[in-house]
Amino acid sequence: MATNNDRDADVVIVGASFAGQALALALARMLGPEIRIMIADRGGPAGADAADPRAFALSHASRQMLEVLGVWQRIASEAQPIEQIEITDSFLDAGVRPVLLSYDNTVENGVRASSIMPAAALAAALSAAVEGERSIAIRRQSEISGFAIDEFGATLALAGGDFVRATLAVAADGRNSTLRRAAGIKIVGWHHPQIGIVTVVSHERPHEGVAVQHFLPGGPFAILPLKGSRSCVTWTEHEDVGRRIMALDEGAFLAEVDKRFGGRLGRLSLEGPRRCWRLKMHLARSYVTKRVALVGDAAHSVHPIAGQGLNLAFRDVAALAEVVIEAARLGLDLGDATMLQRYERWRRFDSAVSAATFDALNRLFSRDVALLRSMREAGLGMVDRLPELKRLLVNEAAGLAGELPRLLKGERV
């Protein structure tokens, strides 16, 4: 390993993920040429996957951060505000799916708590913004093969024999993070007996900005409205059933989607590819160690039942950015343990509570037991009659609960 004190960067971010690029952009935009940032990514040349069928329910707080970073302006035309949310709980073959809980998705001043954003549009906007920053250097096809720390910094060995040296290293390289493992940080978690399926459909009738969550025996089936008469389907299914469905031809696959829609939006057609992934819940035992911090899926992976994974990642980004920016302006060591512990205290509890809550909801609503279904229906009906509780739900969806970093408030750091 290199032993000299010369640095290639002040901060090296491993992984050009949504979280990794957003963090690099936040540091660059707030600190300007005073900071040198490097993104080391295992992937090839930059370029968003235009066929990515995923979409995210971006909270109002996440939108405010993207506005400060100059990214939202690039993608605002792609955002579909969620006007209303409806929740059902029924059998798979039910002819009608009664709405047990519905509420307007609005916070103060008529602002929508969340909007649906295509993943491809967000990825392209972040990449373009990062590529335009002179204080950010990007190294593609840079797999991490080794890692060491000393009194002055962190040194990352890259496949091919190169080294990168920085004051602070950030793991933003996903749930199977190479840097997290190299830094010796363990995780606790498990695989769900389910897979996630995602695709985009067009439909005969307009969705009117209504997002729908059907709780079905195999798992939640979410209909997320996109611009035009299109919706992103984010679907959880028992793994064996889900694998069989994924192996069907297009017509049979669409019939399975239509069965779960329950005829809600009329005739359907597939708009693009379908993808699936195995569902896993994990939490890192520590979000920081000496000169290393974790963000996004490297720190936590949650069930997609509430669509909050990316919002949690952006909370990490905003918190870590604020801590690093304040340290840089005070002339402090960016890898200082006290500074990093502040970030961990800020984010770990919120992430743990969110992960546990989403996991519990998935287990509760995926059990096809008559008595339990009756209890769930009664509970949802009770919530439907409590406007104050609905307001709390909307405020949580907007990402406005808890101690927010300034970026999430729409403020510069």
Side-chain angles (χ1 to χ4, degrees), residues 179-335:
L179 179 55
R180 184 188 65 219
R181 293 197 303 271
I185 299 177
K186 306 296 184 183
I187 62 171
V188 58
W190 53 84
H191 283 94
H192 294 284
Q194 298 167 311
I195 64 169
I197 300 173
V198 63
T199 192
V200 174
V201 298
S202 59
H203 32 76
E204 186 177 14
R205 295 195 290 271
H207 50 58
E208 299 180 340
V210 179
V212 180
Q213 181 86 289
H214 290 316
F215 284 113
L216 300 170
F221 181 93
I223 304 170
L224 307 177
L226 297 170
K227 285 291 186 179
S229 292
R230 299 161 54 247
S231 293
C232 174
V233 174
T234 302
W235 173 7
T236 301
E237 188 55 79
H238 292 306
E239 186 164 9
D240 55 344
V241 176
R243 299 289 181 193
R244 289 199 300 269
I245 290 172
M246 284 296 296
L248 296 172
D249 62 31
E250 184 172 310
F253 177 82
L254 184 61
E256 292 289 341
V257 174
D258 196 26
K259 181 192 297 185
R260 288 156 178 80
F261 261 71
R264 179 185 179 89
L265 295 174
R267 190 161 50 108
L268 305 178
S269 60
L270 289 178
E271 282 284 298
R274 44 182 135 148
R275 295 187 181 172
C276 72
W277 69 100
R278 193 176 183 193
L279 298 182
K280 178 184 179 182
M281 193 288 284
H282 79 248
L283 289 170
R285 292 187 180 274
S286 173
Y287 281 20
V288 301
T289 189
K290 189 175 181 180
R291 300 198 175 279
V292 176
L294 314 183
V295 296
D297 284 353
H300 46 72
S301 180
V302 301
H303 195 282
I305 188 170
Q308 292 300 304
L310 184 60
N311 292 319
L312 286 173
F314 281 167
R315 282 178 174 249
D316 296 343
V317 166
L320 183 59
E322 186 163 322
V323 168
V324 171
I325 290 164
E326 289 179 353
R329 287 176 176 159
L330 292 171
L332 301 178
D333 182 349
L334 301 187

Side-chain angles (χ1 to χ4, degrees), residues 73-264:
Q73 296 83 333
R74 299 170 181 259
I75 56 176
S77 63
E78 300 286 341
Q80 171 60 56
I82 299 179
E83 307 289 341
Q84 188 173 16
I85 294 174
E86 296 182 357
I87 297 174
T88 77
D89 183 11
S90 58
F91 299 103
L92 177 59
D93 295 322
V96 177
R97 305 200 187 283
V99 176
L100 302 177
L101 171 61
S102 66
Y103 52 89
D104 290 334
N105 191 48
T106 306
V107 291
E108 294 180 1
N109 303 320
V111 173
R112 298 294 178 258
S114 49
S115 300
I116 304 302
M117 174 60 60
L122 179 57
L126 281 171
S127 293
V130 165
E131 294 279 355
E133 286 293 328
R134 294 179 61 186
S135 56
I136 302 174
I138 305 174
R139 294 190 62 160
R140 305 285 180 184
Q141 297 178 322
S142 296
E143 186 79 35
I144 303 301
S145 61
F147 173 76
I149 53 175
D150 57 39
E151 183 181 354
F152 302 103
T155 304
L156 282 66
L158 306 180
D162 289 341
F163 297 93
V164 173
R165 186 162 173 80
T167 305
L168 172 65
V170 179
D173 49 343
R175 63 183 187 178
N176 297 316
S177 170
T178 301
L179 179 55
R180 184 188 65 219
R181 293 197 303 271
I185 299 177
K186 306 296 184 183
I187 62 171
V188 58
W190 53 84
H191 283 94
H192 294 284
Q194 298 167 311
I195 64 169
I197 300 173
V198 63
T199 192
V200 174
V201 298
S202 59
H203 32 76
E204 186 177 14
R205 295 195 290 271
H207 50 58
E208 299 180 340
V210 179
V212 180
Q213 181 86 289
H214 290 316
F215 284 113
L216 300 170
F221 181 93
I223 304 170
L224 307 177
L226 297 170
K227 285 291 186 179
S229 292
R230 299 161 54 247
S231 293
C232 174
V233 174
T234 302
W235 173 7
T236 301
E237 188 55 79
H238 292 306
E239 186 164 9
D240 55 344
V241 176
R243 299 289 181 193
R244 289 199 300 269
I245 290 172
M246 284 296 296
L248 296 172
D249 62 31
E250 184 172 310
F253 177 82
L254 184 61
E256 292 289 341
V257 174
D258 196 26
K259 181 192 297 185
R260 288 156 178 80
F261 261 71
R264 179 185 179 89

